[in-house]
Each structure stands twice: as structure tokens, then as C-alpha cells.
């Protein structure tokens, strides 16, 4: 957290706490059979198992597209035809930028190789099941999932 001072349109001066974070990317990946890939793992923030799109932070100097391909392969073992379709901010009190990538024709390329702190279950669900999951409240990346579904014409 950093504190930043702004002069508001009213003339008042206020101090705001802003979370600084690295850029990240999440991938809405469609398999060759039209299923979407989601991961499920325990996350310390909500202190529970949550569903997520495969993804993670960009390494220094890495493009969102390269990070998307790296994260998809590491977390799921899948690869495909990827492109970045949008971005958004983490929230209005964060400097974090979150990129959305979509993957088409995704197929297994090898075993998943998650980080030592990741214990990931990979699931394959239909786009309709994904939309149901997004409404459950047990999902991160809801905004990016909808960006990806929209980009693919699946809303």
C-alpha cells in the first residue's frame, strides 16, 4: 500500500491508500471440444477453495500474451491459439492492470507444472457451466471471464 494525496474538484485535499501490484493475465481457454478450462485451488485471501481461470503475474519485461501462454501451460498442461482481448483495473484503489486472453483449439501439450505453492485441480466445463460458476460467488477473475466470453461471442 502506498498513500497518495489528491486535490479533489471541490478543492479539498485527501489522502488515499492505493494497493500496488504487478500486472496479471487470465486465460479463457476453449478446448478443441468447446469446453472451457478452469482451475480450482485453495486461496489464502478468501480462505477457501475457489475456481479461477488459468493465469498469473507477468514476469519483468514479459508481454501479456507470453505470460498467458506460460501460465496456461504451467497450470493446466494445455496450449492453443491465444490472443489478448482486453484489460481492466483490479479496482479503483489499485494500480493493478489485469489482462484477459482467450485461447482457441486448446489441447493437452504435457503435464501441468504448477509452482510449489500451487495445488491445482484442472476442470473442463461447458461455457454454460462456466457462467453458472461465475454466479456462485466462489470464483475469482469474474470480470476477465466475462470479457473473454464476450470476445468469443459466448454470452
Amino acid at each position: 500500500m502506498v498513500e497518495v494525496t489528491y486535490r479533489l474538484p471541490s478543492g479539498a485535499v485527501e489522502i488515499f491508500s492505493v494497493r500496488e501490484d504487478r500486472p496479471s493475465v487470465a486465460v479463457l481457454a476453449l478446448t478443441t471440444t468447446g469446453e472451457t478450462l478452469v482451475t480450482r485451488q485453495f486461496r489464502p485471501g478468501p480462505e477457501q477453495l475457489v475456481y479461477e481461470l488459468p493465469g498469473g503475474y507477468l514476469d519483468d519485461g514479459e508481454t501479456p500474451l507470453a505470460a498467458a501462454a506460460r501460465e496456461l501451460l504451467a497450470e493446466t498442461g494445455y496450449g492453443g491459439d491465444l490472443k489478448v482481448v482486453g484489460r481492466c483495473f483490479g479496482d479503483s484503489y489499485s494500480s493493478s492492470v489485469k489482462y484477459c486472453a482467450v485461447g482457441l483449439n486448446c489441447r493437452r501439450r504435457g503435464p501441468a507444472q504448477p509452482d510449489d505453492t500451487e495445488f491445482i485441480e484442472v476442470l473442463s466445463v461447458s461455457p454454460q457451466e462456466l457462467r453458472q460458476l461465475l454466479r456462485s460467488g466462489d470464483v475469482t477473475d469474474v470480470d476477465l471471464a466475462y470479457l473473454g466470453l464476450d470476445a468469443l461471442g459466448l454470452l
Side-chain angles (χ1 to χ4, degrees):
M1 290 278 210
V2 296
E3 290 190 342
V4 293
T5 304
Y6 288 104
R7 181 174 305 280
L8 304 178
S10 66
V13 174
E14 292 289 334
I15 298 172
F16 295 90
S17 294
V18 176
R19 287 183 304 284
E20 289 189 324
D21 209 349
R22 299 177 303 180
S24 62
V25 64
V27 183
L28 180 67
L30 284 179
T31 66
T32 55
T33 60
E35 298 282 302
T36 60
L37 298 174
V38 294
T39 62
R40 185 171 183 250
Q41 65 178 314
F42 179 83
R43 289 301 198 178
E47 296 184 336
Q48 69 177 55
L49 289 167
V50 295
Y51 296 94
E52 300 178 306
L53 297 179
Y57 290 113
L58 277 65
D59 290 337
D60 288 339
E62 188 177 35
T63 67
L65 185 60
R70 176 180 51 77
E71 289 288 343
L72 179 63
L73 186 61
E75 292 188 355
T76 68
Y78 281 72
D81 304 321
L82 302 180
K83 71 177 184 175
V84 175
V85 297
R87 71 180 190 113
C88 61
F89 292 106
D91 63 58
S92 59
Y93 288 89
S94 171
S95 64
S96 165
V97 175
K98 303 185 316 181
Y99 292 92
C100 176
V102 296
L104 298 174
N105 304 310
C106 294
R107 70 187 93 203
R108 183 170 294 284
R109 306 275 194 224
Q113 297 180 340
D115 293 338
D116 292 341
T117 60
E118 295 177 316
F119 299 89
I120 299 172
E121 176 185 7
V122 179
L123 303 168
S124 179
V125 300
S126 72
Q128 295 81 10
E129 290 170 313
L130 175 60
R131 287 197 308 272
Q132 290 173 345
L133 278 176
L134 294 173
R135 292 183 194 101
S136 74
D138 294 330
V139 182
T140 65
D141 309 318
V142 172
D143 48 2
L144 299 178
Y146 276 111
L147 273 174
L149 287 168
D150 183 50
L152 295 173
L154 295 174
L155 285 180

